[in-house]
Amino acid sequence: MSQQYAFGTANQRYPKKLFIDTGFNFTEVNARIINPYTPPSPLPSLREIKMINAPAHIHHSGFSSYKCTLTLLFPDKHSYNDYLSYAGWTHKFYDEKGSIYLGSAEAIKPTVQEAGRRYSVTVNLILVKKDSIERESRFHFQDIEGHWAQKNIEEMAHLGLITIITRDGKPVIYFRPNDFVTRAEFVTFLNRTRRLVERMIRE
């Protein structure tokens, strides 16, 4: 789903929430989002997003890339340490319009508050909006029409196992179903399959 409530409207008020991948599931970060706050804003052009955890999954979640700045206020040191232990993993952010974004932290700047009793953290996130509802029209390979494996190829593209956009943001329109794969392409496919299985187990 691309929104917290799929049948709601943008005029409705949604709570801003931040979740982080802990290896088993997404857990809400135990911190309040305070000002200054910068809502997700689209970048002028699609850029290469370098992420440590599951780059293929996040990169294929949407075409548009977004940048967002959050200021998190943690109630105690324990909550602050819990977040830092998973800060390099995938973030999931629910904005005030109901949209859901996936991404990773680009920069983290902690600040001690109240003589070490509370902590505030400024997080810069690079995100892509989840668009699983509209995924049927996201791509179209021109050379697989009528091919016996067309449905399987499209499903693998939906799962993020096959590249559908290049690093400079251009769509991949030819699948080359009758060509041989290189060793590098085969290893990349195996790694993406492994990451997909890991995500399925966690979710």
Side-chain angles (χ1 to χ4, degrees):
M1 292 293 186
S2 62
Q3 290 189 344
Q4 300 181 46
Y5 178 53
F7 304 101
T9 64
N11 294 326
Q12 292 176 326
R13 181 71 179 177
Y14 292 90
K16 296 188 292 290
K17 295 182 180 180
L18 180 65
F19 296 81
I20 194 164
D21 189 354
T22 60
F24 299 98
N25 51 26
F26 280 96
T27 303
E28 186 171 0
V29 177
N30 185 23
R32 289 193 299 114
I33 299 176
I34 60 176
N35 291 326
Y37 161 71
T38 302
S41 56
L43 299 177
S45 59
L46 183 68
R47 301 177 183 178
E48 178 184 3
I49 304 175
K50 296 180 179 179
M51 298 182 183
I52 297 176
N53 182 51
H57 170 231
I58 298 177
H59 195 260
H60 286 312
S61 295
F63 278 141
S64 299
S65 55
Y66 293 78
K67 193 166 188 176
C68 176
T69 301
L70 302 177
T71 304
L72 306 174
L73 181 61
F74 292 89
D76 49 47
K77 188 175 182 180
H78 179 71
S79 301
Y80 168 74
N81 289 335
D82 283 346
Y83 172 73
L84 287 187
S85 62
Y86 297 107
W89 289 45
T90 305
H91 289 64
K92 182 189 290 185
F93 177 59
Y94 293 53
D95 72 356
E96 67 276 14
K97 295 183 179 179
S99 300
I100 303 176
Y101 300 84
L102 281 177
S104 182
E106 181 186 34
I108 300 176
K109 183 180 179 182
T111 305
V112 179
Q113 304 285 343
E114 299 179 5
R117 288 181 292 180
R118 296 206 293 179
Y119 295 81
S120 66
V121 178
T122 301
V123 184
N124 294 330
L125 298 175
I126 299 293
L127 307 165
V128 290
K129 184 185 292 187
K130 292 189 66 177
D131 62 347
S132 58
I133 296 178
E134 298 86 7
R135 71 176 190 171
E136 297 298 331
S137 59
R138 284 176 52 213
F139 71 95
H140 178 68
F141 293 123
Q142 295 183 0
D143 55 353
I144 62 171
E145 291 290 339
H147 193 273
W148 62 270
Q150 179 178 354
K151 290 185 178 179
N152 295 331
I153 294 170
E154 291 176 348
E155 183 62 26
M156 286 191 294
H158 291 321
L159 294 174
L161 302 178
I162 300 174
T163 302
I164 59 175
I165 50 178
T166 60
R167 288 186 174 181
D168 57 357
K170 296 179 181 179
V172 177
I173 59 177
Y174 296 107
F175 178 74
R176 299 179 293 117
N178 298 319
D179 292 351
F180 293 102
V181 297
T182 64
R183 286 194 291 179
E185 290 174 336
F186 182 69
V187 170
T188 301
F189 179 79
L190 289 181
N191 281 330
R192 290 177 177 174
T193 304
R194 174 181 58 81
R195 290 169 180 161
L196 174 64
V197 173
E198 290 175 353
R199 288 200 319 275
M200 293 174 65
I201 293 175
R202 291 200 304 264
E203 295 173 359

